[in-house]
Amino acid sequence: QNFSDDSQLWQQVKQDVLATLGGEFAFGLDGPLLPVPSWKVVLEVYDENMLQQNIEQLIVYINEKMATENKGASILISKTQISDFNAYQLSSQGLSNASDSQNLSYVYVDGYLVAAASMAQLENAIKYYQTSASLLTDSEFQSLLPNNDQLDFSALVFSRIGELVADLVDKIPTNLSAE
């Protein structure tokens, strides 16, 4: 599609993308925070083909815009399979403020887009999903839920902050001086 200005593009992208998304989402830090955080995002998706088409159109537009402005940077998208699911990796190339390319990986799994910093994290998430492991089977999490079967809530925060802090403490160098 050709857009006469950026505002028209963003309005169209916003409308098209929002039409494909459901109301469920989750964000999680899962693993070490250093040197690179291990994060995941999960979004409910009603129409993965439409969402993917919009992502690809947006990448084409951004690459054309960067080429026109002689930025020397681009975003590459590659497709692969993880356990019979369509997975994609976005890689940025030629950004002056990044020492090497930055990656974002995502996969569509049974009505959800699962995104992470690496394909390995996605593979791990799919393995957990396929074994039916979830917060609902976690005894520590279960012990925090109310006993009256009233599980109606709009948001939920579950943290094992002790594990994250312990990981950070382990990364602190032991040879620090007072200077």
Side-chain angles (χ1 to χ4, degrees), residues 29-34 138 140 158-171:
L29 291 172
D30 183 23
L33 291 175
L34 296 175
D138 184 282
E140 182 182 352
F158 177 62
S159 173
R160 291 186 173 136
I161 197 73
E163 293 174 17
L164 292 174
V165 171
D167 185 55
L168 285 173
V169 169
D170 288 343
K171 302 286 188 215

Side-chain angles (χ1 to χ4, degrees), residues 4-78:
S4 59
D5 62 26
D6 288 344
S7 63
Q8 184 182 4
L9 167 73
W10 295 120
Q11 289 300 320
Q12 186 66 46
V13 167
K14 182 173 75 170
Q15 181 180 353
D16 290 348
V17 168
L18 290 177
T20 66
L21 298 178
E24 296 179 18
F25 73 95
F27 170 78
L29 291 172
D30 183 23
L33 291 175
L34 296 175
V36 177
S38 178
W39 57 268
K40 292 182 189 82
V41 173
V42 179
L43 302 168
E44 183 182 24
V45 176
Y46 294 139
D47 187 344
E48 75 179 57
N49 292 325
M50 175 68 91
L51 179 58
Q52 187 58 36
Q53 181 181 22
N54 279 283
I55 290 170
E56 291 173 9
Q57 286 178 343
L58 188 57
I59 290 169
V60 167
Y61 174 80
I62 290 169
N63 286 341
E64 288 174 355
K65 188 90 166 161
M66 286 193 284
T68 315
E69 296 175 4
N70 295 318
K71 298 285 186 190
S74 64
I75 298 172
L76 305 175
I77 184 167
S78 58

